[in-house]
Amino acid sequence: MKFLHKIFARILWNSRLFIIFAVVLSMVGSILLFLVASIDILKAVGATYQYYMGNMGEDADIHNLLLNAIIMAIDLYLIAVVLLIFAFGLYELFIAKIEIKDEQSSKVLEIHTLDQLKDKLAKVIVMALIVAFFSKVLNMGMKNSLDMLYFAASILGLSLGLYFLHKDSKH
């Protein structure tokens, strides 16, 4: 019976290595999002060049086009960071500590507990949601004073949420 217990314990312990799939695919997703966001920024550079060379027509609004492109790229970068933090956190929690990093390296990717991983992910996800909200608000037309009131209330709600989210942070 003790022999079966040892075998089962070893199988159970080694099953944690299946996490490597989530780590690798999260890294791949993060890299893809970084690439797509960077290409979007480069396209915005090209559109800006085309606008100032007079190739976009009189009705083109470069400010709106550029702002939307950059905000969407920021949103993609934030989601890429979420995947990166997730990959590092899973690796350090379930596989092994990353020994390469030095004492001067950033503490952003240092994760010791599942709660720390969840907290870091939640903060970055909230920031991504705020950026997505900002993007939607930019494209929303204010038609009456009630729209302005809703807009102000949503800004207040986001501000309060950020305040309470960072209230316990040590920075």
Side-chain angles (χ1 to χ4, degrees):
M1 189 67 165
K2 193 172 186 174
F3 177 72
L4 286 176
H5 174 70
K6 268 188 167 180
I7 290 175
F8 183 73
R10 182 170 298 226
I11 290 170
L12 188 60
W13 176 248
N14 287 332
S15 70
R16 80 191 195 291
L17 298 176
F18 282 112
I19 294 288
I20 202 73
F21 292 122
V23 171
V24 169
L25 293 175
S26 293
M27 291 294 296
V28 168
S30 178
I31 291 166
L32 288 173
L33 286 172
F34 278 122
L35 288 173
V36 168
S38 298
I39 290 169
D40 287 350
I41 294 287
L42 292 174
K43 285 181 180 177
V45 168
T48 303
Y49 176 78
Q50 292 296 322
Y51 175 80
Y52 285 110
M53 296 309 283
N55 298 335
M56 290 187 83
E58 294 294 319
D59 60 337
D61 183 11
I62 191 63
H63 303 99
N64 192 31
L65 182 119
L66 192 57
L67 195 57
N68 281 328
I70 290 173
I71 288 172
M72 293 309 291
I74 288 171
D75 202 30
L76 290 178
Y77 284 137
L78 284 171
I79 295 168
V81 168
V82 167
L83 288 173
L84 188 67
I85 291 171
F86 183 69
F88 271 80
L90 285 180
Y91 188 86
E92 287 213 338
L93 287 175
F94 291 97
I95 309 295
K97 295 291 176 207
I98 298 173
E99 302 295 332
I100 297 173
K101 57 186 181 184
D102 57 3
E103 295 298 320
Q104 292 82 22
S105 65
S106 173
K107 303 290 183 200
V108 172
L109 297 176
E110 193 170 298
I111 297 162
H112 300 290
T113 67
L114 199 54
D115 283 337
Q116 280 182 334
L117 178 60
K118 288 190 312 188
D119 289 344
K120 288 181 186 212
L121 288 176
K123 289 177 182 177
V124 179
I125 288 170
V126 166
M127 289 308 298
L129 289 172
I130 289 171
V131 170
F133 172 77
F134 182 61
S135 174
K136 297 291 184 218
V137 166
L138 283 177
N139 295 320
M140 182 181 86
M142 301 287 176
K143 294 179 180 50
N144 55 38
S145 58
L146 191 58
D147 289 342
M148 288 299 287
L149 183 65
Y150 289 150
F151 178 69
S154 61
I155 298 270
L156 177 65
L158 286 173
S159 300
L160 286 172
L162 273 179
Y163 171 74
F164 286 118
L165 188 63
H166 291 287
K167 186 177 181 184
D168 64 342
S169 296
K170 299 165 183 75
H171 39 130

